[in-house]
Amino acid sequence: MTYENILKDAGLTRAEFTGGELKVHTPVDGSEIAALKVHTISEADAQIAGANKAFKAWRTVPAPRRGELIRLLGEELRKEKENLGRLVTLECGKIYQEGLGEVQEMIDICDFAVGLSRQLYGLTIASERPGHAMRETWHPMGVCGVITAFNFPVAPWCWNAALAIVCGDPVIWKPSEKTPLTALAVQKICERVCQKFGDDAPRDLFQVLVGERELGELLTASKDVAIVSATGSVPMGRAVAGDMAKRLGRTILELGGNNAMIVALSADLEMAVRAIVFSAVGTAGQRCTTLRRLIVHKDVYDQLIPRLTKAYSTLPIGSPLEEDTLIGPLIDDQAMSAMEQAIEQAKSEGGTVHGGGRALNDQFPSAAYVHPAIAEMPEQSQIMHLETFAPILYAVKYSTIEEAIEIHNAVPQGLSSCIFSTDIRETELFLSGVGSDCGIANVNIGPSGAEIGGAFGGEKDTGGGRESGSDAWKGYMRRQTNTINYSTELPLAQGIVFDI
Ligand code: UN1
């Protein structure tokens, strides 16, 4: 199948993906696959105005009816799963199985949001005054800007958009400039779905901004964008948070991770090895949930590391479009240089590195294929505090579970974490208030591949936001506290007497 056919099968026309100034390259072989027109600042302003107009109409549509739109979106995504999954693979380089998995996450969150559209529950609260009732109601919030990263080009948009839409908020999507094609393909699906839905879907409910950083900055600067949800690097998140704080706008931030696994003395090593390999090399180490640090009990370390290096040596590296490949390319040369630099630093900090280095150079001279690396470190050194978006797994030893948890928490990021242990005292300690400081903490599974039903996000430099399941929907609505006096008296709260 040619690249052009992949684009066309995903619903894009030649006129849409040629003739523009934003060049899109596939990481599969580095070739140019599209040249998109970018939006100007005034077009972006018009999008914001259009979205606000859409908000006025959409917030009056009953939430279960808003859910119907997302039900139709889920239905359409089911039909388009293979076509969109293949475009995800072509544009961001993750293997086809993972491309399909990403579209499945979109479908799953749509199902979740449809149910949610009938469950936007508030509380009833006991009033301290006689003849009074109190309750909490949730209302649509306003326009929601969604900024997404190249490594998960479509699913995080959908975690945000599916919830925002049932909550009554129009969505403006600023995808990574490295992966705008998948966004355009999804936008076309949304437009089709809105048409099917009927007249109560206003214009500009879903919009996409194609271009560079300044378009994202427009979203964070504008008072008319009530919420900005951003997925990406810590520096990007700090910039978004700074701009939004200046105008006291609401943010939902899901930033970098530096996820670890504690492998305890009692761990099932067979299971641990399988979990480690998937979460450390899956998506070529370019997930925010990728396993980057292994904290291994000193008495199992010498059994575990050789098994891992052996497993690593047989992993098929190749085009992500080929069925047997497990490791596709990094997104670009810059990512490759970052990996090389990190490995150099690990060595200079006393590490012994297995693997690493460029792969398939003859076959794909313009792409960034790499051998995944394991770096045995004498301690948790400086490089282990950084998130390098590449398949480098650092390993250190520990003696006591308390020490392991201390090492675990001593990095700036706090997204995902896990422990492999069959000792309930250790696993419960890890999940307790003095255990893992991450937003996600797992037992006997790896840190990546979270289900959509749970709240997704983490603490510290990860930004504190929560997306996807549980009660993350509250981030897209405004809470209102209501007190209703159905008596003939006017008592004041706190027992205050104020007679006139
Ligand atoms: C990301 O890398 O930004 O838990 C998201 C996971 C996926 C989402 C990753 N469900 O690995």
Side-chain angles (χ1 to χ4, degrees):
M1 189 182 281
T2 66
Y3 294 166
E4 187 163 329
N5 282 344
I6 295 178
L7 267 61
K8 286 183 174 161
D9 285 352
L12 299 172
T13 63
R14 209 155 197 287
E16 285 165 333
F17 61 77
T18 53
E21 48 285 82
L22 179 65
K23 312 267 187 245
V24 184
H25 295 88
T26 171
V28 174
D29 61 10
S31 63
E32 187 181 311
I33 51 171
L36 300 187
K37 291 174 202 63
V38 296
H39 286 103
T40 62
I41 297 289
S42 63
E43 283 169 338
D45 281 334
Q47 282 203 9
I48 295 174
N52 276 282
K53 201 164 163 216
F55 176 58
K56 291 216 167 77
W58 191 237
R59 66 185 173 179
T60 67
V61 174
R65 172 90 181 120
R66 300 196 296 249
E68 169 64 8
L69 179 65
I70 297 301
R71 194 187 67 75
L72 293 176
L73 176 61
E75 213 168 65
E76 208 58 32
L77 287 168
R78 277 182 171 85
K79 285 189 214 142
E80 295 299 326
K81 182 172 172 184
E82 284 77 21
N83 290 333
L84 188 56
R86 201 169 279 110
L87 183 61
V88 167
T89 290
L90 179 68
E91 197 179 29
C92 84
K94 66 177 61 175
I95 61 171
Y96 180 51
Q97 273 304 311
E98 293 192 55
L100 290 175
E102 195 174 339
V103 181
Q104 187 60 45
E105 268 195 52
M106 301 175 83
I107 295 166
D108 293 342
I109 194 70
C110 285
D111 286 356
F112 181 92
V114 175
L116 189 65
S117 71
R118 291 179 183 269
Q119 299 175 80
L120 302 172
Y121 298 140
L123 296 173
T124 53
I125 299 163
S127 169
E128 65 191 57
R129 287 173 278 189
H132 283 56
M134 279 182 82
R135 64 171 181 249
E136 203 167 71
T137 40
W138 292 89
H139 297 303
M141 176 81 186
V143 174
C144 179
V146 180
I147 298 174
T148 55
F150 77 84
N151 66 322
F152 263 76
V154 287
W157 168 81
C158 210
W159 307 337
N160 285 281
L163 297 197
I165 292 292
V166 300
C167 290
D169 305 337
V171 175
I172 301 179
W173 181 6
K174 163 67 181 79
S176 162
E177 55 274 21
K178 291 175 184 169
T179 52
L181 287 167
T182 38
L184 284 188
V186 171
Q187 174 67 14
K188 291 195 82 173
I189 293 174
C190 291
E191 281 165 13
R192 212 157 59 226
V193 164
C194 283
Q195 233 166 29
K196 220 186 226 174
F197 182 74
D199 287 346
D200 47 350
R203 266 181 68 113
D204 298 335
L205 201 51
F206 296 95
Q207 298 180 93
V208 176
L209 279 176
V210 174
E212 304 278 342
R213 190 189 167 111
E214 66 271 11
L215 296 177
E217 287 169 352
L218 210 73
L219 296 178
T220 56
S222 171
K223 270 266 184 210
D224 294 328
V225 179
I227 309 161
V228 171
S229 175
T231 305
S233 70
V234 174
M236 180 280 295
R238 277 193 214 290
V240 168
D243 289 352
M244 295 296 284
K246 267 184 228 147
R247 64 175 177 92
L248 302 175
R250 186 183 291 181
T251 52
I252 301 170
L253 298 176
E254 197 267 284
L255 312 176
N258 191 355
N259 319 295
M261 178 190 292
I262 295 175
V263 183
L265 189 57
S266 67
D268 179 329
L269 288 188
E270 188 58 43
M271 270 172 61
V273 167
R274 283 171 48 205
I276 291 166
V277 175
F278 172 69
S279 41
V281 310
T283 331
Q286 300 170 108
R287 284 193 192 212
C288 55
T289 51
T290 289
L291 176 63
R292 307 201 180 280
R293 298 177 297 136
L294 262 189
I295 304 165
V296 188
H297 191 280
K298 61 178 180 23
D299 295 338
V300 289
Y301 187 93
D302 289 338
Q303 296 169 54
L304 181 67
I305 301 298
R307 282 165 84 160
L308 273 181
T309 48
K310 186 163 170 250
Y312 266 48
S313 67
T314 59
L315 292 171
I317 305 171
S319 163
L321 290 161
E322 300 295 334
E323 214 173 288
D324 295 336
T325 299
L326 289 181
I327 307 183
L330 294 177
I331 187 73
D332 55 22
D333 270 352
Q334 228 178 322
M336 163 101 76
S337 309
M339 179 170 178
E340 282 164 356
Q341 274 169 29
I343 287 178
E344 280 319 303
Q345 188 174 338
K347 285 180 185 160
S348 73
E349 289 172 357
T352 304
V353 179
H354 310 272
R358 195 178 263 273
L360 307 181
N361 203 18
D362 292 344
Q363 199 182 341
F364 300 111
S366 305
Y369 289 83
V370 293
H371 294 281
I374 297 173
E376 295 189 70
M377 304 302 290
E379 63 187 347
Q380 182 158 272
S381 65
Q382 238 4 71
I383 190 64
M384 289 182 68
H385 289 70
L386 301 179
E387 179 195 44
T388 305
F389 232 45
I392 308 174
L393 179 63
Y394 304 99
V396 291
K397 291 181 193 166
Y398 78 88
S399 301
T400 66
I401 186 68
E402 289 77 14
E403 182 195 355
I405 291 172
E406 203 170 304
I407 296 170
H408 179 276
N409 291 347
V411 295
Q413 309 84 350
L415 179 57
S416 190
S417 61
C418 61
I419 185 168
F420 267 74
S421 168
T422 52
D423 177 343
I424 193 170
R425 291 185 177 145
E426 285 181 341
T427 57
E428 289 292 325
L429 183 70
F430 183 72
L431 301 182
S432 78
V434 297
S436 163
D437 63 1
C438 289
I440 298 168
N442 298 334
V443 174
N444 294 333
I445 58 167
S448 73
E451 299 178 22
I452 59 90
F456 186 85
E459 308 308 331
K460 303 195 289 184
D461 277 3
T462 301
R466 292 296 187 279
E467 298 169 324
S468 198
S470 183
D471 65 352
W473 61 271
K474 291 179 176 170
Y476 305 85
M477 299 199 90
R478 64 185 169 86
R479 182 196 313 246
Q480 190 173 68
T481 302
N482 310 128
T483 308
I484 302 115
N485 179 2
Y486 58 89
S487 76
T488 53
E489 305 294 320
L490 198 68
L492 298 176
Q494 297 89 43
I496 291 173
V497 178
F498 198 86
D499 284 337
I500 51 166

